[in-house]
């Protein structure tokens, strides 16, 4: 009965090590996704410390490849030292992922205030004639999120660009995709996106942070199961004489 329980724990442990390799790829993908998406919205959010959870997620993903290798070798070879090392590393990674979750929630709460502070400046410096990186970012966001202005299209009336052009129109990126004849004129507001960009940018950035949080929570749960199975194998190996005989090939006297 004891041998059967140990074998089951070992089987689960080997399976979990294979999952760790898959998890490593997923975590690296999530971290890379955060970096790429942040790059599209970095003009609206200056706090680079927001990327710390993504950096940690990628580091944890890389470490999980090594953890999976150590776990598989230790389980197959029945190495007490290897399994103990495996448990300790998993525990450290688990603590790291808890820190990622906490940081994720902290920075998620800061997004709204940061975007509100930055977006005003970005719109103020918009230049549709000779667009710089910030101006291109505004056009990209307005097309991608289907929005116009900070709170709505009327916000453009307060910008220097609108006052200089004097044509009573907003950027073409405010035009709805279905409005083929749209030229950005405020005389035809039905051709323009009605929703402002600030709320949508905040929502997008918070969604990105939630991807990191959920990924960290999911794999923290898997790691807990891995630590539990490794501990069971270690404890049984120390206490069960039948298990020692099974490994050494000996017999009872």
């Amino acid at each position: 009965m004891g041998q059967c329980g140990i074998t089951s724990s070992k089987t689960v442990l080997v399976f979990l090590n294979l999952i760790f390799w898959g998890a490593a790829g997923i975590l690296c993908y999530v971290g890379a996704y955060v970096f790429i998406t942040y790059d599209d919205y970095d003009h609206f959010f200056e706090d680079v410390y927001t990327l710390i959870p993504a950096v940690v997620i990628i580091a944890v993903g890389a470490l999980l490849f090594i953890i999976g290798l150590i776990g598989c070798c230790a389980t197959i070879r029945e190495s007490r030292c290897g399994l103990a090392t495996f448990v300790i590393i998993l525990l450290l990674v688990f603590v790291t992922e808890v820190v990622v979750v906490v940081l994720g929630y902290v920075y998620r709460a800061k997004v709204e205030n940061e975007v509100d502070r930055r977006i005003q400046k970005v719109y103020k410096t918009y230049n549709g004639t000779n667009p710089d990186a910030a101006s291109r970012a505004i056009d990209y966001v307005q097309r991608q999120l289907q929005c116009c202005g900070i709170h709505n299209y009327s916000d453009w009336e307060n910008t220097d660009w609108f006052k200089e052009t004097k044509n009573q129109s907003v950027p073409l990126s405010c035009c709805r995709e279905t409005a083929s004849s749209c030229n950005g004129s405020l005389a035809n507001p039905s051709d323009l996106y009605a929703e402002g960009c600030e709320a949508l940018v905040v929502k997008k950035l918070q969604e990105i942070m939630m991807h990191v949080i959920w990924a960290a929570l999911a794999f923290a749960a898997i790691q807990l199961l891995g630590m539990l199975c490794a501990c069971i194998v270690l404890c049984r190996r120390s206490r069960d004489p039948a298990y020692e005989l099974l490994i050494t090939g000996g017999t009872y006297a």
Side-chain angles (χ1 to χ4, degrees):
M1 186 72 177
Q3 293 175 7
C4 182
I6 293 167
T7 303
S8 298
S9 296
K10 285 172 59 183
T11 302
V12 172
L13 191 54
V14 170
F15 178 68
L16 283 172
N17 285 317
L18 296 177
I19 291 178
F20 288 155
W21 284 331
I26 294 172
L27 286 176
C28 288
Y29 171 80
V30 171
Y33 170 76
V34 172
F35 269 99
I36 293 169
T37 309
Y38 177 86
D39 190 53
D40 294 331
Y41 297 90
D42 62 347
H43 291 284
F44 304 98
F45 199 82
E46 272 189 333
D47 193 352
V48 294
Y49 293 109
T50 307
L51 292 176
I52 289 177
V55 172
V56 176
I57 279 287
I58 292 175
V60 167
L63 188 58
L64 277 179
F65 278 111
I66 302 172
I67 291 173
L69 183 61
I70 293 173
C72 276
C73 292
T75 305
I76 293 170
R77 297 181 63 183
E78 308 292 349
S79 168
R80 181 181 298 177
C81 179
L83 284 172
T85 303
F86 177 67
V87 172
I88 292 170
I89 295 175
L90 274 185
L91 181 60
L92 292 174
V93 173
F94 175 78
V95 171
T96 302
E97 288 184 335
V98 171
V99 172
V100 168
V101 171
V102 173
L103 287 175
Y105 273 108
V106 169
Y107 288 120
R108 186 174 181 272
K110 291 175 61 179
V111 164
E112 190 169 357
N113 289 335
E114 181 72 15
V115 171
D116 182 60
R117 184 177 65 83
R118 279 290 301 161
I119 201 168
Q120 304 279 349
K121 295 179 181 178
V122 175
Y123 269 82
K124 276 283 187 183
T125 58
Y126 180 82
N127 186 340
T129 309
N130 298 300
D132 54 8
S135 301
R136 289 193 296 272
I138 290 175
D139 286 329
Y140 171 83
V141 166
Q142 291 191 151
R143 290 193 182 97
Q144 191 75 10
L145 301 182
Q146 299 184 345
C147 56
C148 184
I150 300 172
H151 304 105
N152 55 58
Y153 58 79
S154 65
D155 292 323
W156 280 104
E157 297 181 49
N158 300 319
T159 64
D160 295 335
W161 174 81
F162 183 90
K163 295 170 183 175
E164 288 170 6
T165 55
K166 300 178 181 178
N167 58 6
Q168 295 297 304
S169 65
V170 297
L172 294 178
S173 55
C174 281
C175 292
R176 295 179 183 273
E177 291 181 353
T178 53
S180 56
S181 60
C182 176
N183 60 3
S185 175
L186 291 178
N188 301 304
S190 59
D191 290 344
L192 310 175
Y193 293 123
E195 193 169 359
C197 293
E198 181 177 353
L200 295 178
V201 169
V202 169
K203 182 181 177 181
K204 183 69 175 180
L205 290 171
Q206 289 181 336
E207 283 177 357
I208 294 169
M209 202 55 65
M210 282 307 299
H211 290 327
V212 173
I213 291 170
W214 282 115
L217 284 174
F219 294 117
I222 294 173
Q223 285 167 227
L224 274 178
L225 186 56
M227 284 188 286
L228 178 62
C229 291
C231 286
I232 290 172
V233 173
L234 275 171
C235 291
R236 292 288 178 85
R237 192 181 191 281
S238 301
R239 297 178 183 178
D240 194 338
Y243 183 58
E244 291 290 345
L245 290 170
L246 181 68
I247 302 239
T248 59
T251 57
Y252 286 108

